[in-house]
Amino acid sequence: MRSLFLSALLLAVMSCFLPEVAHAGITRHYTFNIEMKSETRLCHTKRMITVNGKFPGPRIVAREGDRVIVKVVNHVSNNISIHWHGIRQLQSGWADGPSYITQCPIQTNQSYVYNFTITGQRGTLFWHAHISWLRATVYGPLIIFPKRGVPYPFAKPDKEVPMLFGEWFNADTEAIISQALQTGGGPNVSDAYTINGKPGPLYNCSSDTFKLKVTPGKTYLLRLINAALNDELFFRIANHSFTVVEADAVYVKPFKTDILVIAPGQTTNVLLKAKPNPHKSTYLMAARPYFTGQGTFDNTTMAGFLEYVQSSGNITLPKNLTLSLPTLPAINATSVVANFSQKFRHLNSRQYPAQVPQTVQKRFFFTVGLGNSPCSKNQTCQGPNGTKFAASVNNVSFALPSTALLQSYFFKKSNGVFTTDFPATPLRPFNYTGTPPNKTFVSNGTKVVVLPFNTSVELVMQGTSILGAESHPLHLHGFNFYVVGQGFGNFNQSTDPAKFNLVDPVERNTVGVPAAGWVAIRFLADNPGLSHENSNNLNSAAYNNVSSNATV
């Protein structure tokens, strides 16, 4: 089962007041109207929550240094908030968006103005709802161009195309997660994966297919975003390859590949060079999930078309031949995922240096994975042995407060809202990737870690196999971090740190903890306020806000 752990609330305590961030760019205004819209896919029409009536939602475009102001007006009966996934939110913690963490949700007929400045970032990110499962339909691209006059550190493409991977559910997603929370079992899975909201031709009764139109010899920058709720995805275009140039809005050392792996919450920019003399006029592209857990998942394949169009020259496109799907790895191809993730290196140039903390002032060791919690009296639960699934970090499952944590911290009214005793290491060590312990119940609490401002932090996240080994993508709000090491099995404090890359490790905001493995990250706690770390794997009734608390 995949799991959510809103893991890790982190308070950075200010030891001084920082100067206001200079607004070198312009101010860009947007309005998001949260409203119901009828949409039809797979011959099934349903009413669902959208932004400005669009699925996926509208594009946010800005440049590095710009101030972005988005007024969100809620016209539906559901509470909602919007998270700007990957934005550093330097001194703008109130604009981060997770409900009950940095704000109370926006109620019906109410509005909220998000106000933040994009500082030191350029590339592709995205935005999505951050309450319950509303982000299944409420999401869209967030594109950040370099400052005017600053070129890309790679050849300028002829065209740029955002491609959002998402999901389609025939049923109401709020009803799905509500049932899962009630029964303690895994939620029903999606009926299809989508590219820009379109499932493609491989599904029954599907008339919506994404088409990428290219001209022979031209270069295209594909801005790939995985906005799916739970699943890491393999992606390939038949007989074509990519050059990866950016990840999570940070430039990387370019590398070539014909297969991409994108975890939920991750973004990847790739250059696609169209063939000068294609053998066909149309090629298939396809994506399907990577999965190693024991629960149910959407084992389907979405597809789209790469179509060559006539250029202004004398190129004659061949008539289309039989189309075949590109070969995708096995569903549980962990080695492919590991090999792909290890190719990422920070660009680490003079203009874009890798500022990896070389010394560490605070170390944490977090175990992440699934456990279970007791079933309420007079209730039948569908988790292991009649219990409820529960995700946790260091065996603490997050209890969602009724007061926003940043509010309670800011107004110094945290008593009864949260405690500061989140464990820095597991209270009961065990063989994390071996035989599971006899006791698998988790504890519940709203606990945080308090850090002095500017603390250098090293966090090792250890996957567990208590109820099955699986990959856990984790996102850290308000911060980027450097992935300095990863491996399989149990982390060894005596030998593994010697292998850490402290020169040019990839800088990200979302990373996958390997199935039955570990990942080590480093970052500087230089963003005062309250942040949290959460998994984008919202599977299982572990999403009872189930989480863990921890850090930045």
Side-chain angles (χ1 to χ4, degrees):
M1 283 285 160
R2 303 235 176 169
S3 52
L4 157 82
F5 17 103
L6 217 152
S7 160
L9 309 179
L10 171 61
L11 294 172
V13 179
M14 293 176 61
S15 60
C16 59
F17 292 98
L18 296 180
E20 286 293 321
V21 177
H23 303 145
I26 65 173
T27 299
R28 299 176 185 263
H29 294 267
Y30 292 87
T31 299
F32 278 13
N33 287 298
I34 310 300
E35 54 194 26
M36 298 296 291
K37 173 80 180 300
S38 291
E39 289 283 349
T40 301
R41 302 289 188 280
L42 313 183
C43 290
H44 186 93
T45 300
K46 71 172 185 177
R47 298 278 289 172
M48 64 189 208
I49 297 175
T50 64
V51 172
N52 298 348
K54 297 181 178 180
F55 172 67
R59 188 181 309 182
I60 294 286
V61 178
R63 289 187 180 274
E64 178 187 354
D66 285 352
R67 180 187 289 274
V68 177
I69 297 176
V70 186
K71 182 179 181 180
V72 177
V73 186
N74 188 6
H75 300 285
V76 302
S77 59
N78 303 71
N79 291 345
I80 198 166
S81 64
I82 302 294
H83 170 50
W84 316 96
H85 190 104
I87 293 293
R88 285 290 315 274
Q89 298 294 358
L90 290 169
Q91 300 183 71
S92 54
W94 300 105
D96 194 43
S99 291
Y100 299 107
I101 306 300
T102 61
Q103 71 170 96
C104 292
I106 308 165
Q107 299 181 27
T108 305
N109 296 324
Q110 300 296 312
S111 64
Y112 188 86
V113 176
Y114 293 92
N115 186 338
F116 55 90
T117 298
I118 298 172
T119 305
Q121 293 182 281
R122 74 293 297 171
T124 302
L125 298 172
F126 75 117
W127 57 263
H128 60 80
H130 206 296
I131 185 171
S132 192
W133 265 22
L134 294 188
R135 73 185 183 96
T137 61
V138 178
Y139 64 87
L142 201 169
I143 296 170
I144 308 169
F145 290 106
K147 294 179 180 180
R148 290 195 179 277
V150 178
Y152 293 136
F154 47 83
K156 184 179 180 180
D158 296 291
K159 187 177 180 180
E160 303 185 8
V161 183
M163 293 173 58
L164 290 87
F165 300 142
E167 293 163 289
W168 170 263
F169 293 80
N170 286 334
D172 176 16
T173 54
E174 292 303 279
I176 291 174
I177 190 58
S178 176
Q179 180 187 39
L181 294 176
Q182 203 169 31
T183 64
N188 295 335
V189 301
S190 56
D191 294 283
Y193 295 106
T194 60
I195 305 178
N196 290 353
K198 300 178 179 182
L202 302 184
Y203 295 99
N204 290 331
C205 200
S206 176
S207 59
D208 301 286
T209 300
F210 171 75
K211 296 179 180 179
L212 174 62
K213 296 183 182 295
V214 300
T215 301
K218 299 291 186 180
T219 299
Y220 297 82
L221 180 70
L222 306 183
R223 296 178 177 269
L224 305 175
I225 299 165
N226 187 351
L229 288 177
N230 300 323
D231 294 320
E232 296 166 85
L233 296 170
F234 296 114
F235 177 68
R236 194 170 237 162
I237 299 178
N239 301 112
H240 288 71
S241 61
F242 314 99
T243 300
V244 177
V245 294
E246 177 254 306
D248 292 357
V250 179
Y251 296 133
V252 299
K253 287 184 171 68
F255 67 90
K256 291 188 176 181
T257 179
D258 63 356
I259 181 73
L260 298 171
V261 185
I262 309 179
Q266 287 186 336
T267 60
T268 306
N269 279 5
V270 301
L271 295 175
L272 172 71
K273 178 76 171 178
K275 296 176 180 293
N277 297 292
H279 298 297
K280 302 178 183 180
S281 59
T282 304
Y283 294 82
L284 274 169
M285 60 180 73
R288 75 176 180 197
Y290 161 62
F291 185 77
T292 61
Q294 298 181 1
T296 57
F297 67 102
D298 185 350
N299 186 14
T300 63
T301 302
M302 65 179 171
F305 295 131
L306 184 151
E307 292 187 348
Y308 279 85
V309 296
Q310 195 76 41
S311 67
S312 57
N314 296 320
I315 299 176
T316 300
L317 296 177
K319 292 183 179 180
N320 199 41
L321 305 175
T322 301
L323 295 178
S324 57
L325 275 175
T327 302
L328 292 170
I331 292 291
N332 61 350
T334 296
S335 60
V336 175
V337 176
N339 290 337
F340 179 76
S341 64
Q342 290 171 3
K343 293 180 180 179
F344 286 84
R345 293 286 185 273
H346 196 286
L347 186 59
N348 197 23
S349 65
R350 178 176 297 180
Q351 187 174 4
Y352 304 105
Q355 298 174 320
V356 191
Q358 298 297 306
T359 59
V360 175
Q361 294 168 303
K362 191 70 176 178
R363 284 185 166 86
F364 296 92
F365 182 82
F366 291 167
T367 56
V368 298
L370 278 177
N372 54 342
S373 59
C375 190
S376 302
K377 290 182 179 180
N378 303 320
Q379 182 184 358
T380 300
C381 293
Q382 298 177 359
N385 301 316
T387 64
K388 290 187 175 185
F389 279 109
S392 69
V393 172
N394 282 354
N395 206 48
V396 178
S397 188
F398 182 64
L400 195 69
S402 57
T403 301
L405 296 178
L406 182 59
Q407 175 184 326
S408 64
Y409 176 67
F410 184 83
F411 290 107
K412 297 180 173 59
K413 295 181 178 180
S414 59
N415 287 342
V417 180
F418 65 82
T419 61
T420 59
D421 57 345
F422 186 86
T425 58
L427 298 179
R428 294 189 299 274
F430 60 97
N431 184 359
Y432 307 115
T433 57
T435 303
N438 294 328
K439 296 181 179 180
T440 59
F441 282 150
V442 304
S443 62
N444 293 277
T446 309
K447 302 174 183 291
V448 306
V449 171
V450 178
L451 293 173
F453 174 72
N454 245 10
T455 301
S456 56
V457 179
E458 179 180 290
L459 168 60
V460 176
M461 292 177 283
Q462 172 71 61
T464 61
S465 56
I466 296 175
L467 294 179
E470 59 180 8
S471 175
H472 295 279
L474 283 157
H475 167 57
L476 191 58
H477 286 231
F479 289 83
N480 281 355
F481 51 77
Y482 293 93
V483 183
V484 296
Q486 57 187 314
F488 292 107
N490 295 336
F491 175 73
N492 188 321
Q493 182 62 54
S494 299
T495 59
D496 286 327
K499 309 171 199 172
F500 284 176
N501 176 7
L502 302 181
V503 177
D504 61 350
V506 66
E507 181 183 351
R508 308 204 70 142
N509 64 60
T510 303
V511 67
V513 179
W518 56 271
V519 64
I521 66 174
R522 287 189 180 185
F523 59 90
L524 193 65
D526 60 353
N527 193 359
L530 187 148
S531 174
H532 80 289
E533 176 184 87
N534 72 271
S535 170
N536 290 302
N537 287 20
L538 312 188
N539 224 345
S540 98
Y543 186 76
N544 55 2
N545 291 310
V546 124
S547 290
S548 293
N549 321 352
T551 82
V552 200

